[in-house]
């Protein structure tokens, strides 16, 4: 079943691409400036993929706020709205963003920018599964986390007391869903670009130019 664009919204979580703040796990391999440049490329790649391959409105959730010039580029896009991430940890920030989005949309799908393998078909599959009545959709990452979460309604238990950044995140989330009697759908397992060991696998990205010029 194809859903109307207004019923679903895509949330993109992104840190400001500033040296020493973004992609800190890659600093030993790329340095602070190199890690920030790669992060800009990943954000640009994600937004380009969404703009060209999906029909739904986009919310760019920025950290620490929306003031970085890089985010300002997207403020002029009528399809994109900028929002400030709020919360003490990743779980609180994700829960807050999804809760806000679900006030005005039937389905909210949250992604990061660290999964170059994410494609429009994964978003379409998510919207279809949520439209078919699943309570949640998860995109499992190879490192034990997840690259996507989609919800039909608030599920705060999914975001409280999770070991964020650990290989236990996906299994802990499954356990919470099962304990609550929820039905969920899982996408195919994909790889994030998050650690130095991932750089060789995604080496072409280092020469890819998806950055916003002038920022």
């Amino acid at each position: 079943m194809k859903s109307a664009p207004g019923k679903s919204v895509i949330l993109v979580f992104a840190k400001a691409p500033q040296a020493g703040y973004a992609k800190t796990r890659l600093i030993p391999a790329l340095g602070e400036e190199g890690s920030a440049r790669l992060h800009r490329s990943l954000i640009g790649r994600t937004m380009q993929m969404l703009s060209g391959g999906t029909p739904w409105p986009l919310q760019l959730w920025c950290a620490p706020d929306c003031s970085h010039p890089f985010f300002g580029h997207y403020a002029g896009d009528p399809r994109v709205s900028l929002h400030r991430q709020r919360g003490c940890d990743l779980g609180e920030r994700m829960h807050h963003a999804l809760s806000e989005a679900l006030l005005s949309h039937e389905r909210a799908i949250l992604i990061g920018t660290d999964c170059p393998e994410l494609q429009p078909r994964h978003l379409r599959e998510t919207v279809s599964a949520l439209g078919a009545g699943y309570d949640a959709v998860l995109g499992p990452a190879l490192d034990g986390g997840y690259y996507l979460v989609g919800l039909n309604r608030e599920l705060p238990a999914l975001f409280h007391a999770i070991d964020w950044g650990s290989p236990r995140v996906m299994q802990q989330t499954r356990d919470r869903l099962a304990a609550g009697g929820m039905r969920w759908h899982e996408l195919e397992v994909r790889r994030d670009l998050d650690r130095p060991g991932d750089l060789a696998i995604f080496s072409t990205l280092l020469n890819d130019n998806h950055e916003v010029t002038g920022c």
Side-chain angles (χ1 to χ4, degrees), residues 182-201:
M182 305 296 168
R183 295 176 62 242
W184 74 94
H185 174 75
E186 293 190 13
L187 307 175
E188 61 188 340
V189 178
R190 299 283 81 187
R191 183 187 294 272
D192 283 337
L193 200 174
D194 199 37
R195 294 173 172 81
D198 301 322
L199 291 171
I201 296 165

Side-chain angles (χ1 to χ4, degrees), residues 193-212:
L193 200 174
D194 199 37
R195 294 173 172 81
D198 301 322
L199 291 171
I201 296 165
F202 293 113
S203 59
T204 56
L205 277 179
L206 300 177
N207 298 314
D208 245 352
N209 185 12
H210 291 275
E211 295 187 22
V212 176

Side-chain angles (χ1 to χ4, degrees), residues 14-19 21-22 36 39-40 43 62-65 68 70-71:
K15 287 184 175 181
Q18 58 194 46
Y21 179 66
H39 187 54
R40 282 195 295 271
I43 297 172
C62 311
D65 55 43
H68 193 281
F70 182 85
F71 294 139

Side-chain angles (χ1 to χ4, degrees), residues 1-10 54-57 79 104-109 123-124 126-128 130-132 152:
M1 181 176 68
K2 186 175 181 180
S3 122
K7 293 183 179 180
S8 303
V9 61
I10 309 298
T54 67
W56 304 288
R79 188 177 160 193
S104 53
H105 296 84
E106 293 181 12
R107 297 178 276 277
I109 302 162
L123 282 302
R124 291 193 293 269
T126 300
V127 169
S128 294
L130 292 172
N152 279 323

